[in-house]
Amino acid sequence: MALGWGARAETGAAALGGCALLLNMRNGRMLVSEGAETARRWVAAPGSSMKPLSFLALLEASKLNSAEEYYCPGRLVLGGHALDCSHPYVATPMNVARAIAYSCNCAVAHFAQRFEKGELGRYLVRAGFCSTTRLLSGWEATGHVDIAATGPACQLQALGEAGARVTPLELLAAYRRLALRAGEERISPIFEGMEGAVEFGTAQKARIDRVRVAGKTGSVVTGSGAHAAWF
């Protein structure tokens, strides 16, 4: 089984570059590394690609269960940032799987209020967000995580909007660790949500005939004004 990751960034008319990585999930061997320098050196907020990891932290801390639901109001403002949901109206309430599939900002922000001060940040550091991955040879940058985030700052961190900056390699490594846990009943809603994202949610362009694909999109505008897209 292979695990892929892609990222693209642009600022103004000048492209900062992109990368596409394909990894053998089992042994960690890189199969394809287009844009390797970008993968090593580019650091940015992960956007909504953070959401499965935020839910993973809540599930592992027993602060959320897969049966819990929340009706998305559609409107969200955090710390002066307007983060209204862009998904279509959904009549059923959001649970973990649907919130990931539809990339529901409101549901993630709602459940993220259960984190204690710094809890999510410390979890992300343990997950390797500030560490070299050695997935590619040579020097690589490391990201930064705010380990003291609380209140709206923690909610923004859970959404991948602020409070965490990562390289494509770090995000790929985090998703590899998640993928290796496929089959664990407690976190199965996360995989259901990522498969739903490809089947009917935000990642439908990643569908492949006769192949089950799980994925998660993410997009952010960095402090320098760059538009970053992740998958």
Side-chain angles (χ1 to χ4, degrees):
M1 183 179 293
L3 187 69
W5 199 264
R8 178 74 179 171
E10 293 183 353
T11 178
L16 296 178
C19 67
L21 307 171
L22 186 66
L23 185 77
N24 183 306
M25 187 184 75
R26 296 298 180 188
N27 62 22
R29 185 169 66 87
M30 192 71 72
L31 304 175
V32 176
S33 57
E34 295 292 335
E37 284 306 297
T38 298
R40 291 189 188 95
R41 299 173 183 272
W42 186 56
V43 181
S48 291
S49 61
M50 174 74 86
K51 290 172 181 173
L53 304 176
S54 299
F55 276 127
L56 179 62
L58 285 166
L59 290 169
E60 289 194 329
S62 298
K63 294 189 171 181
L64 177 65
N65 66 68
S66 58
E68 292 188 68
E69 297 179 328
Y70 174 74
Y71 279 97
C72 173
R75 302 295 301 274
L76 179 66
V77 177
L78 289 173
H81 300 273
L83 296 166
D84 295 350
C85 285
S86 59
H87 60 75
Y89 171 75
V90 180
T92 54
M94 292 292 171
N95 57 16
V96 172
R98 284 190 287 272
I100 291 173
Y102 288 109
S103 203
C104 180
N105 287 346
C106 292
V108 175
H110 169 75
F111 291 120
Q113 295 177 90
R114 301 179 182 183
F115 286 119
E116 297 176 10
K117 180 179 179 179
E119 184 178 6
L120 178 57
R122 291 190 296 271
Y123 180 90
L124 296 174
V125 171
R126 293 195 301 272
F129 267 31
C130 300
S131 305
T132 55
T133 67
R134 300 184 181 179
L135 293 176
L136 289 174
S137 60
W139 179 88
E140 62 179 278
T142 56
H144 172 77
V145 171
D146 178 2
I147 59 172
T150 187
C154 180
Q155 292 171 286
L156 288 168
Q157 189 175 59
L159 291 168
E161 293 290 328
R165 299 173 69 244
V166 297
T167 66
L169 288 176
E170 287 175 318
L171 206 50
L172 177 60
Y175 266 76
R176 180 193 175 217
R177 284 187 287 270
L178 173 60
L180 287 170
R181 298 179 61 183
E184 292 184 25
E185 183 176 356
R186 181 170 61 165
I187 64 174
S188 62
I190 294 175
F191 295 96
E192 179 185 346
M194 290 195 296
E195 289 182 355
V198 175
E199 182 61 28
F200 59 84
T202 60
Q204 295 180 43
K205 290 185 178 181
R207 280 189 293 190
I208 301 174
D209 290 342
R210 297 183 295 279
V211 177
R212 291 174 64 189
V213 178
K216 185 70 192 79
T217 54
S219 61
V220 293
V221 178
T222 69
S224 64
H227 293 262
W230 301 87
F231 175 76

